[in-house]
Amino acid sequence: MRFENTTLGQLSVGGKGNYGIAASAVPYSENLLAYLRITDISDQGTLKKQSLMSVADENADKYLLKPNDIVFARTGNSTGRNYFYDGTDGNFVYAGFLIKFSLDPQKVNPRYIKYYCKSSQYWNWVQSFNTGSTRGNINAQTYANMEIPLPPRDHQDFLVRLLSPLDDKIELNQKISDNLQRQAQAVYQSWFIDFTPFGGAMPKSWKIAKLGDISTVTSGKRPPVKTGEKANDLQIPLVGAASVMGYTNAVLYDAPILVTGRVGTHGVVQRFCTPCWPSDNTLVITSRYYEFVHQVLQNIDYANMNRGSTQPLITQTDLKNVKIVLPPSDTLDQFEIQVGQLMQLWEQKRIESEKLSALRDTLLPKLMSGEIKMKETP
């Protein structure tokens, strides 16, 4: 198969990238435009919708994304992260630490570039700008000059036809998972905040207690070794404050745990029911009342708990001392059963999506190289 050597700039409208708006984020509001920041994009190129904020700047509408736009993180440990916008996630204003390229559908299948930017070839290019343990910065001109080996248009379309259904199913699973989480949150709100099943007031038999009374809080640890991508002997997820940040070869926990940030990012609560290694910038929470504690953690005001002057910090003691409404054990057991059924379905969708992602990632390099290609019509 013949490949054309081209660049991202040559495949984009205007031939260059554009920096986002330098504006402060404000709490999310349906009356304002959603603000897309580096932290809202995962390493897999998906949105972290639970962390979305809004923007209130008068010039915000000048930075709205349009279908076939792709944005790249340009600085820090997130350099290289990217998100392809097809218009289905709502309206977004992109932030200043992101660079936008508007892909020209006359020159390339835009979704082909989406997949190229998931490939090892792309990430190897990003890694080439790193110095030691620090990710290098990549500016708009450098991104524009990024070389892309482009196959014929029919092969681009073939690749997209094969991989898009996998991504569509992953996205559908995510929507189902989000709905299940909302249902779980609604049950918690009804039972333990509004007290709807109990006549609208906290029963006298309930008490105010501390999170540490029903859970154990410890800190994660530095792993023995780590890598950015899975390898034969490095398969165990290394959990950071907001997401899986790499892989290691040892297991720190193999029972259900909840993980949230200790240093740096706060407020993201992660669930793990399979072997993992939480890093030393996390707090790890275990409890018999797993689902109840999960909901408590999602309702904490982490900003007011922050002890750090230069870098956000939360201690084990801070988390243990969080005040909670504590009902009798039989009520908690009922909640665990009801919400546990919802989250069991959530876990099934997560596992299914992981398998689909693995299949996509296996097919991608074979499609990119032309090892898998269309059969020619006789």
Side-chain angles (χ1 to χ4, degrees), residues 155-225:
H155 186 75
Q156 297 173 39
D157 297 342
F158 172 64
L159 180 149
V160 170
R161 285 199 305 272
L162 280 186
L163 298 184
S164 288
L166 298 177
D167 275 338
D168 290 345
K169 178 58 178 172
I170 293 170
E171 184 178 354
L172 177 60
N173 282 351
Q174 186 60 55
K175 290 179 179 178
I176 294 171
S177 296
D178 291 344
N179 180 261
L180 290 166
Q181 284 191 314
R182 285 193 293 270
Q183 290 183 56
Q185 291 164 0
V187 175
Y188 177 82
Q189 174 79 28
S190 175
W191 285 30
F192 303 115
I193 296 179
D194 299 333
F195 308 109
T196 303
F198 314 103
M202 187 175 82
K204 293 181 179 179
S205 60
W206 296 19
K207 61 182 180 180
I208 301 298
K210 296 179 181 178
L211 182 59
D213 295 333
I214 60 166
S215 65
T216 299
V217 182
T218 57
S219 296
K221 297 181 179 180
R222 187 183 299 273
V225 295

Side-chain angles (χ1 to χ4, degrees), residues 35-228:
Y35 199 24
L36 182 65
R37 304 159 298 161
I38 289 177
T39 52
D40 300 317
I41 302 171
S42 72
D43 279 338
Q44 292 72 42
T46 58
L47 288 184
K48 301 176 185 178
K49 294 186 178 180
Q50 70 273 19
S51 63
L52 285 177
M53 302 284 279
S54 290
V55 60
D57 193 282
E58 61 181 6
N59 294 314
D61 58 354
K62 297 178 182 178
Y63 295 86
L64 277 168
L65 292 178
K66 298 178 181 179
N68 297 330
D69 283 349
I70 187 168
V71 294
F72 296 88
R74 64 182 177 90
T75 187
N77 289 332
S78 301
T79 301
R81 282 187 191 175
N82 55 86
Y83 166 68
F84 176 80
Y85 180 73
D86 63 5
T88 61
D89 286 327
N91 295 320
F92 289 102
V93 172
Y94 64 105
F97 286 103
L98 295 172
I99 302 170
K100 181 204 74 172
F101 286 83
S102 298
L103 300 171
D104 188 341
Q106 300 299 315
K107 298 178 180 178
V108 66
N109 184 321
R111 290 178 184 271
Y112 179 83
I113 301 303
K114 166 190 171 180
Y115 288 114
Y116 179 81
C117 293
K118 294 179 183 289
S119 70
S120 58
Q121 189 169 355
Y122 167 76
W123 283 107
N124 288 339
W125 178 80
V126 172
Q127 291 290 331
S128 71
F129 294 91
N130 294 352
T131 55
S133 60
T134 304
R135 283 199 191 182
N137 298 340
I138 304 178
N139 62 29
Q141 185 60 54
T142 303
Y143 271 117
N145 291 335
M146 178 176 67
E147 294 184 357
I148 298 176
L150 195 67
R153 184 61 177 254
D154 60 352
H155 186 75
Q156 297 173 39
D157 297 342
F158 172 64
L159 180 149
V160 170
R161 285 199 305 272
L162 280 186
L163 298 184
S164 288
L166 298 177
D167 275 338
D168 290 345
K169 178 58 178 172
I170 293 170
E171 184 178 354
L172 177 60
N173 282 351
Q174 186 60 55
K175 290 179 179 178
I176 294 171
S177 296
D178 291 344
N179 180 261
L180 290 166
Q181 284 191 314
R182 285 193 293 270
Q183 290 183 56
Q185 291 164 0
V187 175
Y188 177 82
Q189 174 79 28
S190 175
W191 285 30
F192 303 115
I193 296 179
D194 299 333
F195 308 109
T196 303
F198 314 103
M202 187 175 82
K204 293 181 179 179
S205 60
W206 296 19
K207 61 182 180 180
I208 301 298
K210 296 179 181 178
L211 182 59
D213 295 333
I214 60 166
S215 65
T216 299
V217 182
T218 57
S219 296
K221 297 181 179 180
R222 187 183 299 273
V225 295
K226 64 179 180 178
T227 182

